[in-house]
Amino acid sequence: MSNIENRHPGKFSFHMLMMVLAGFTVFGPEMAAARQSAVSEVTFAKDVLPIMQRACQQCHRAGSVAPMSLLTYEEVRPWARAIRDKTAQREMPPWFIERNVGVRRFKEDASLSDEEIATIGQWVDAGAPRGNPGDAPAPIELAALDDWRIGSPEWIVELPEEQLIGAVDADRWLDIWADSGFAEDRYIKAVETKPSPGGHRVVHHVATSMRWEDENGEEGGGFLNEYAMGKNGDIFPDGTGRLIKAGTQIRFNMHYSSVGEEIVDRTRVGFQLYPKGYIPDRVLISRHVGDSFDTLDIPAGADNVRSDGYYVLPEPTQVTGFQPHMHIRGKRMCVEAIHPNGTIETLSCTGHNFGWHIVYNYADEVAPLLPAGTILHVIGWHDNTASNRYNPDPKNWVGFGNRSIDDMSFAWMSFFHMPEEIYEEKLVRRKRMSSE
Ligand code: HEC
């Protein structure tokens, strides 16, 4: 008997089905309602659209560099699975800071919370329902792509020539130099880098920096500003500024990607300035920290190759931001502060993705406050295996060099120094704030 049943699983299923149906007639309406509400709990209109508005739409809209627009349900629906995967892996939005170490609060942090990622996952797993359109928030106002966020600049420096990006060119990373035209030293109050009108579609990112030679023939300079879709310019707090010296050359580090159409760009950087002769109380410095010129030694095919670099802070310092600088094989970077009393404090660790260059600016209340004599220790890790998708050749040894097929490891750190008494006052204020 049991033998026959086994050979006719269909019959068994039929019994099961009858039982389920019987159950359904008894508990049916309630169960169905419960299931319905579980399914409709997470909807696009109520739960997912607000996340898209906050963290995705400034890039994912018509005319921008991102491959698709994510403004409406119709636009988002076909991408639901890709969105679930990219957000779960924290590849989108691009923001690679490790969340469990170091400073946790940043300016302009578009990254998703664990809850938001879970919400997107539940929504996709439930079949990506639209929900009740009445639950949807009003569309957000997205700033026009051509607006200067710092206001109309007093001074603009453009690329020396237009760049023509073909319909199907490979991605291009270029360093282009331009003369700033500054005839005297000035302090910058605000700075913003922007593609020219229409260029937004092909400009993936731009980082601008300065190089000058001072009276004694010493080279100086530093980071200026970074453009990536959705970023504001930098407006420095009152009394804070960055020096640009007479005769400065400006470097535009460009990443162009084609969009299937020929497009012309002439990216520019705009400035607001303090009056001539004015010297702000706090001069913002951006410099290389922890270069490992001699020690960078990345064997063929090796992963997690570590290098170390150091920089001693000569005066009390507030660190305002940092950006890892590595090339194609860069994988991860940590910065720690070794205090003169021997305490070691991790400031930040971040993944590195050659496709994105992100500046992480610390929120003012938590920006690291460090005594004179602190050693900033920068630790880089490189991946020279084939699983690094940017790696052109895992069979090559790689060392320090300027070409992107060579590599580097240092952090651009931005900070300002202050006199000892101000540092002490700030420390006291911090302690009071954290005990409240
Ligand atoms: C700073 C701009 C920016 C932000 C913010 C951003 N994206 Fe993207 N996104 C891009 C770009 C550019 C690409 C193209 C691939 C690349 O360059 O990494 C992309 C690619 C993607 C892809 C892969 C598309 C494909 O072709 O497979 C998905 C999915 C995606 N983004 C979803 C999102 C979601 C969801 C958010 C918000 C939670 C978001 N993105 C936020 C710029 C952005």
Side-chain angles (χ1 to χ4, degrees):
M1 179 66 192
S2 66
N3 235 346
I4 294 169
E5 286 245 344
N6 278 349
R7 264 190 248 131
H8 298 276
K11 202 171 180 184
F12 182 70
S13 301
F14 179 71
H15 283 293
M16 289 291 288
L17 181 63
M18 289 313 289
M19 279 158 66
V20 170
L21 283 180
F24 194 75
T25 34
V26 178
F27 304 108
E30 260 166 22
M31 269 174 63
R35 196 167 335 120
Q36 193 65 39
S37 85
V39 167
S40 64
E41 218 161 23
V42 178
T43 69
F44 179 77
K46 180 161 58 68
D47 308 290
V48 175
L49 181 56
I51 303 174
M52 303 282 122
Q53 289 183 337
R54 182 183 72 75
C56 320
Q57 292 185 351
Q58 74 272 32
C59 293
H60 285 273
R61 57 165 148 163
S64 100
V65 69
M68 70 287 193
S69 173
L70 297 177
L71 300 188
T72 63
Y73 180 73
E74 284 69 23
E75 287 173 343
V76 172
R77 180 65 188 85
W79 292 96
R81 279 155 174 270
I83 289 171
R84 178 188 60 195
D85 298 348
K86 291 272 180 188
T87 53
Q89 287 152 23
R90 291 199 176 277
E91 287 178 29
M92 281 287 148
W95 183 267
F96 309 112
I97 279 283
E98 292 173 21
R99 306 163 73 79
N100 53 352
V101 285
V103 177
R104 316 279 166 104
R105 262 180 297 147
F106 296 85
K107 293 175 180 167
E108 298 193 325
D109 179 352
S111 66
L112 302 184
S113 66
D114 293 339
E115 294 73 37
E116 288 173 317
I117 292 175
T119 299
I120 292 174
Q122 285 161 22
W123 172 68
V124 175
D125 293 342
R130 180 196 295 266
N132 176 1
D135 292 340
I140 52 165
E141 224 174 278
L142 294 161
L145 293 169
D146 294 336
D147 276 0
W148 289 96
R149 311 281 183 90
I150 60 168
S152 204
E154 284 173 65
W155 192 263
I156 294 179
V157 180
E158 287 184 307
L159 289 179
E161 283 165 12
E162 288 185 338
Q163 301 294 314
L164 176 72
I165 308 306
V168 287
D169 287 350
D171 277 26
R172 276 197 257 165
W173 283 270
L174 306 172
D175 274 333
I176 304 173
W177 291 89
D179 187 351
S180 69
F182 279 93
E184 55 200 325
D185 295 0
R186 295 292 293 269
Y187 282 90
I188 303 166
K189 174 89 184 77
V191 54
E192 182 171 358
T193 309
K194 287 184 80 57
S196 57
H200 296 94
R201 293 179 58 197
V202 290
V203 178
H204 189 289
H205 86 263
V206 189
T208 45
S209 54
M210 305 179 278
R211 192 172 68 191
W212 64 66
E213 221 171 81
D214 70 11
E215 305 75 28
N216 313 318
E218 295 240 347
E219 279 205 2
F223 181 73
L224 264 179
N225 172 244
E226 192 213 36
Y227 164 84
M229 179 66 63
K231 280 231 177 113
N232 297 319
D234 288 327
I235 302 172
F236 305 130
D238 281 342
T240 310
R242 183 167 277 166
L243 174 64
I244 183 162
K245 297 220 23 123
T248 292
Q249 295 290 309
I250 293 184
R251 184 178 78 156
F252 291 82
N253 172 250
M254 310 285 315
H255 174 185
Y256 284 116
S257 334
S258 293
V259 289
E261 210 181 295
E262 213 172 74
I263 292 196
V264 169
D265 170 63
R266 192 165 183 187
T267 287
R268 57 246 147 97
V269 54
F271 298 93
Q272 307 290 11
L273 302 164
Y274 282 105
K276 281 182 197 170
Y278 177 91
I279 301 180
D281 291 343
R282 290 184 198 142
V283 176
L284 274 175
I285 302 166
S286 290
R287 57 163 296 148
H288 286 207
V289 164
D291 284 272
S292 37
F293 293 112
D294 317 332
T295 54
L296 200 61
D297 175 8
I298 309 173
D303 191 8
N304 293 319
V305 182
R306 172 172 166 162
S307 58
D308 297 81
Y310 302 88
Y311 177 74
V312 183
L313 293 171
E315 292 173 65
T317 302
Q318 178 162 330
V319 181
T320 59
F322 107 104
Q323 176 180 32
H325 185 96
M326 307 170 99
H327 293 174
I328 297 171
R329 285 144 175 117
K331 179 177 187 181
R332 179 170 183 246
M333 182 174 280
C334 289
V335 182
E336 59 186 25
I338 306 172
H339 288 245
N341 69 6
T343 320
I344 299 178
E345 175 191 6
T346 300
L347 305 185
S348 287
C349 290
T350 175
H352 178 266
N353 174 326
F354 190 65
W356 290 99
H357 294 236
I358 300 176
V359 183
Y360 300 100
N361 287 309
Y362 298 117
D364 293 331
E365 354 37 289
V366 291
L369 208 48
L370 303 168
T374 299
I375 300 167
L376 292 175
H377 176 200
V378 175
I379 311 161
W381 287 269
H382 287 82
D383 176 1
N384 195 9
T385 68
S387 61
N388 173 353
R389 70 171 159 135
Y390 294 101
N391 194 348
D393 188 359
K395 292 194 293 298
N396 273 349
W397 174 87
V398 178
F400 174 86
N402 283 319
R403 301 172 305 172
S404 57
I405 55 165
D406 302 321
D407 227 291
M408 288 197 186
S409 176
F410 70 82
W412 278 113
M413 305 282 293
S414 296
F415 49 80
F416 58 85
H417 297 313
M418 67 197 92
E420 198 60 46
E421 355 28 294
I422 304 223
Y423 169 73
E424 295 295 338
E425 276 169 31
K426 274 183 175 262
L427 263 193
V428 170
R429 227 176 306 140
R430 280 278 172 92
K431 286 210 180 101
R432 207 181 306 134
M433 258 166 45
S434 65
S435 65
E436 265 165 16

